[in-house]
Amino acid sequence: MNLIGYLCFCVFTLAAFVQGVQKCHGTPKMYNGKPCASTTNYHDGMQGACGCGDDKSDKQFDWSKSSWTAAANQHFFDSHNKHWCGEKCGVCVNLTTTGGFPSDGSHTAEGQSHVFMIVDLCPDVAPNLDWCAQTAAHPANKFGYAVHFDLENGVHQITQTLHWDNPEVTYEIVDCAHAHQADHKTPSPTNYHQCVCSHSAHGKK
Ligand SMILES: *[C@@H]1O[C@H](CO)[C@@H](O)[C@H](O)[C@H]1NC(C)=O
C-alpha cells in the first residue's frame, strides 16, 4: 500500500473504531429483512427477573449461567413495563451477527447465529441507560436500536467461546424446543419450567 493509501486506511480504521459500523438502517433498524438489536454481555450470578434460580439464595441455576441466555431491555421485556415476570420470560430469540457493531464494540464476523432464551431484564436505570432506556415515546437507545440483549457471560461463553464484542445482530423469535434440539446450549422448555415466572400467569409459556 502506498503512503496515501496507508493514511486513508488508518483514518478509516480510526473512524470505524470511534463510530462503529452499522449494517442496520431505517426506523426501526433492519438488515436482511429482519429487525436489529444491539448486544452487550454481563454476569451477576442472580436468579434474574424471570426467577431462574433459587428463590431463597437468589443464586441463578447452572444452566442459566452457562447456556445461551440473555436479559432484554425493559421495553421489549414487557410492554406494560413490568420488572418481574415480563411477557418475554422464556421466549427464545435467534440472534445473527450482521458484521456491524456500535461504537462500544469491535468487529465480529457476520452470519453467526445462536438461539438465546430471555431469562432476565436489562432495567432502564444506570448503568444501562445508553442501551436499555427505550420507551414508547423514545423507541431507540443511544446507538439507535429499539431492542437490546445483554448476553449472559457466566462461563465466558460470549467473550471466550464466541468472541463476540457487543456485536450488532438481527433477531427473530423462534421455538425453544426445536432450537434446544439443534444446540443444547439453548435452554429447553423443561429448563424454563424451573423458573418462578413459568408458573405465574403473566410469564407462563
Ligand atoms: C437462525 O437464523 C439463521 C440465519 O437466518 C438461520 O440460518 C438458522 O437456521 C436460524 N436458526 C433457528 C434455530 O431458527
Side-chain angles (χ1 to χ4, degrees):
M1 204 178 323
N2 65 28
L3 183 62
I4 300 291
Y6 181 73
L7 284 175
C8 290
F9 178 74
C10 283
V11 169
F12 175 78
T13 305
L14 187 66
F17 179 73
V18 173
Q19 295 175 354
V21 173
Q22 300 192 359
K23 299 278 189 76
C24 300
H25 295 289
T27 310
K29 284 183 186 295
M30 305 275 291
Y31 184 66
N32 284 343
K34 290 186 186 142
C36 292
S38 48
T39 68
T40 48
N41 65 79
Y42 80 118
H43 177 61
D44 66 15
M46 298 191 287
Q47 66 170 329
C50 303
C52 297
D54 179 68
D55 209 19
K56 289 204 174 61
S57 67
D58 198 25
K59 192 170 176 289
Q60 71 185 155
F61 294 132
D62 282 346
W63 62 263
S64 179
K65 176 182 180 179
S66 60
S67 303
W68 305 136
T69 63
N73 63 295
Q74 175 70 71
H75 195 56
F76 186 75
F77 183 73
D78 189 81
S79 56
H80 297 98
N81 222 30
K82 286 181 71 169
H83 305 318
W84 171 250
C85 294
E87 62 206 7
K88 291 295 195 304
C89 283
V91 167
C92 287
V93 283
N94 184 9
L95 305 187
T96 302
T97 56
T98 66
F101 59 95
S103 55
D104 275 21
S106 64
H107 177 72
T108 304
E110 179 171 356
Q112 305 175 56
S113 298
H114 297 284
V115 178
F116 292 76
M117 181 184 278
I118 296 170
V119 298
D120 202 1
L121 162 70
C122 179
D124 54 352
V125 297
N128 307 320
L129 293 174
D130 285 354
W131 302 105
C132 295
Q134 298 93 334
T135 63
H138 298 282
N141 65 16
K142 178 183 168 186
F143 304 99
Y145 300 90
V147 173
H148 182 78
F149 298 109
D150 201 3
L151 309 176
E152 172 65 57
N153 196 36
V155 296
H156 308 292
Q157 62 266 53
I158 304 303
T159 49
Q160 287 178 15
T161 305
L162 296 183
H163 297 284
W164 284 13
D165 181 12
N166 298 358
E168 176 185 74
V169 296
T170 57
Y171 70 92
E172 186 175 28
I173 291 177
V174 298
D175 180 71
C176 299
H178 283 128
H180 174 75
Q181 274 172 14
D183 178 2
H184 279 33
K185 292 270 281 178
T186 300
S188 64
T190 309
N191 288 139
Y192 182 63
H193 282 137
Q194 285 184 281
C195 304
V196 174
C197 296
S198 76
H199 307 291
S200 84
H202 200 63
K204 200 165 184 168
K205 292 280 147 11

